[in-house]
Amino acid sequence: MSKWIGDAMESLLASRMPVMTVTDTQYINPSLKQIRFSGDLSNMHFEPGYAVVIRVSDIEHRNYTPTFYDTERGTMEIMFHIHGDAPGSNYIAALDVNDTLKISMPRGKKVYREPEKPQLLFGDETCLGVAFSLYPLWLGSGREFRFVFELDDANRDLPDRLGLTNYSVIPKKFGAENETLLTRLPIFENDTWRNWHNGNFILIGNAASVRNFRNVLKKRDVPGKSILMQAYWAEGKTGL
Ligand SMILES: Cc1cc2nc3c(=O)[nH]c(=O)nc-3n(C[C@H](O)[C@H](O)[C@H](O)COP(=O)(O)OP(=O)(O)OC[C@H]3O[C@@H](n4cnc5c(N)ncnc54)[C@H](O)[C@@H]3O)c2cc1C
C-alpha cells in the first residue's frame, strides 16, 4: 500500500482508529516484548483472538493480537515476537513509553468456543498472547485443555515465565520432521486420544506448521468444523 493510500485511509477511518499511547514496555526475554497502551477504546469490541492492524511504516501494516483489554479504562496489552530484521519487528522493538500509534477495529476468528469440549491451542511465539488470554477462561471452565508450542530453543521457558500450565513444547522443525514431532504428542496416545478426538483444535502461527498439524488431525478423522486454522506468518512472505 502506498503512503498516500495509507494516509487517506487513516483520515477516512479516523473515528474508528483510536490513537493509543504506549504507557509501559517490558521485555519478557529478548524476543518477546509486552506493551501496554492507553487510549479511547469505548467504541471497540474485543474478543479473545481478535487482532488489530498497526501501521509499522509509511507503507506497511501488520496484525497483532491484544492479550488484555479493558474498554472502560481504555487500556490494552499486546505481546510482540521480535523475530528479526523486518518492518514490524523493528517498529515494535523501537516503541517506547509516550510513543503514539493508531490501531484498527479488532476483528478475527472467535477462538473461545464450546468450552465443554477439550481445547487445544497450537502455535509459536506469535500465539503466546492468544494463549495468555485464553488461559484464565479455559482454567475457569474446569474442562480439559492443552497448549502445544513450537518455540526457538532460547524461548522454551517463555510459557513458564508467563505462568502458563498444561503445555508441551516442541522444537521448530520443517516438513516431515515437524509432522513426525506432532504425531508423537501425548494427546495422540490411544487412551488419551479417545477423549481428545472430540476436542476443538486451534492452530495458529507458522503457516507450514499449521498445515502439518491439520494433516495429522485429518489422518485421525477429526472433522473440519473442530479445527480452526489461521496462519500468522509464512516463510518468505511479508505481512499476513
Ligand atoms: C491475525 C494475526 C494476528 C497476529 N498476532 C500476532 C501477535 O499478537 N504477536 C506477534 O508477535 N505476531 C502476531 N502476528 C504475526 C505477525 O503479524 C507477523 O509475524 C508479521 O509478519 C510480522 O511482521 P514483520 O514486518 O516483522 O515481518 P514481515 O515483513 O511480515 O516478514 C518478513 C519475513 O520474516 C519472517 N517472519 C515473519 N514473522 C515471523 C515470526 N513471527 N517468526 C519468524 N519469522 C517470521 C518471514 O519469513 C517473512 O518472510 C499475527 C498475525 C496475524 C495474521
Side-chain angles (χ1 to χ4, degrees), residues 62-65 79 81 83 86-89 126 232-233 236-239:
R62 299 289 185 262
N63 280 287
Y64 295 101
T65 317
M79 276 180 207
H81 181 214
H83 63 87
S89 216
T126 58
Y232 273 13
W233 65 277
K237 293 220 164 124
T238 53

Side-chain angles (χ1 to χ4, degrees), residues 100-128:
T100 60
L101 53 80
K102 290 184 177 176
I103 59 164
S104 71
M105 286 279 172
R107 80 275 176 272
K109 299 185 178 178
K110 283 193 183 173
V111 292
Y112 181 65
R113 55 189 187 132
E114 302 179 298
E116 67 284 358
K117 291 183 171 185
Q119 305 282 334
L120 183 139
L121 171 71
F122 167 73
D124 61 6
E125 287 85 351
T126 58
C127 90
L128 285 168

Side-chain angles (χ1 to χ4, degrees), residues 133-145:
S133 55
L134 281 173
Y135 184 61
L137 300 171
W138 284 357
L139 205 57
S141 76
R143 299 304 171 108
E144 197 161 357
F145 70 91

Side-chain angles (χ1 to χ4, degrees), residues 225-240:
K225 66 178 169 47
S226 304
I227 307 173
L228 190 155
M229 291 169 55
Q230 183 157 28
Y232 273 13
W233 65 277
E235 205 65 48
K237 293 220 164 124
T238 53
L240 289 191

